[in-house]
Amino acid sequence: MFDLDQFIADYNTAVRADRSHKLVREVVARAVSDPTAVIAGLGEPRRAEVQKLYNSPELTILNVIWGPLMTILPHNHLMWAVSGVYTGREDNIFWRRIQENTGAKVEAASAKSLGERDAEPLGCDIIHSVTNPLSRVTGAIHVYGGDFFSVSRSEWDPETLLERNYDMEKNLRLFEAANLAYANL
Ligand SMILES: [Fe+2]
């Protein structure tokens, strides 16, 4: 069964060996390699939500449960991250910054679809958007190399692709909105 204390101990061993998130990816990959164990430890994901499993200035561990067909806008983290999917699918678009006369925009650069048991490292400068393409919830363990909730970051308007301030409260409300939408499906 997934054990948070053991996971944090493994994380500490990993970052002591390598300050980057390379070995942390392996810790996350190991955890999500056994989805049944993760679900036994964290519970069956039933509704869209962000569960804070651990939060310190150096480390944030989240159980992110995406609602069906839910999308989160392009955003950055300004710290490294690792996403590991234990049920469902996360479709990532990776974006790069471009400067246009109209302002600081992004353009799509690449994409990666993460399925069950996949763990993906994201560098500090990464900008991504995430869609759950499924008509059921997707569950993922997200690990961040810092305090995810205290950093002032950016998101990009989905229509104009222009940069603006990331609104944490608004983004967390999207999960509740997804639950309402799901209830009405
Ligand atoms: Fe993200």
Side-chain angles (χ1 to χ4, degrees), residues 7-171:
F7 186 85
I8 293 168
D10 292 347
Y11 160 85
N12 283 325
T13 304
V15 289
R16 264 200 301 272
D18 182 346
R19 288 300 302 168
S20 81
H21 55 314
K22 217 168 20 172
L23 295 179
V24 178
R25 193 209 75 86
E26 290 176 22
V27 173
V28 176
R30 206 157 50 234
V32 298
S33 71
D34 189 349
T36 306
V38 175
I39 289 170
L42 298 180
E44 182 84 34
R46 297 189 191 281
R47 58 191 306 282
E49 62 183 314
V50 175
Q51 292 176 2
K52 204 185 289 186
L53 302 180
Y54 184 82
N55 190 215
S56 77
E58 295 82 31
L59 172 67
T60 303
I61 305 171
L62 305 178
N63 180 20
V64 179
I65 303 168
W66 302 103
L69 306 176
M70 183 178 171
T71 291
I72 196 148
L73 304 184
H75 61 276
N76 58 14
H77 305 126
L78 304 177
M79 60 186 69
W80 61 251
V82 179
S83 291
V85 175
Y86 63 86
T87 183
R89 180 164 295 283
E90 281 188 356
D91 284 348
N92 283 259
I93 298 176
F94 297 104
W95 304 80
R96 64 172 156 247
R97 289 175 180 274
I98 52 169
Q99 190 61 43
E100 287 198 347
N101 293 339
T102 44
K105 295 177 72 170
V106 286
E107 65 178 12
S110 64
K112 191 150 197 179
S113 183
L114 305 179
E116 206 174 283
R117 298 182 168 84
D118 287 337
E120 179 73 6
L122 307 176
C124 290
D125 299 327
I126 284 287
I127 300 168
H128 74 153
S129 52
V130 182
T131 295
N132 171 13
L134 307 182
S135 55
R136 67 175 180 88
V137 294
T138 281
I141 297 173
H142 288 191
V143 178
Y144 301 88
D147 181 356
F148 179 81
F149 296 96
S150 74
V151 168
S152 164
R153 58 174 66 90
S154 296
E155 68 177 15
W156 282 263
D157 181 278
E159 190 156 348
T160 64
L161 297 180
L162 288 167
E163 187 170 5
R164 66 188 185 201
N165 288 334
Y166 180 93
D167 182 340
M168 179 67 73
E169 291 307 315
K170 184 207 74 176
N171 278 289

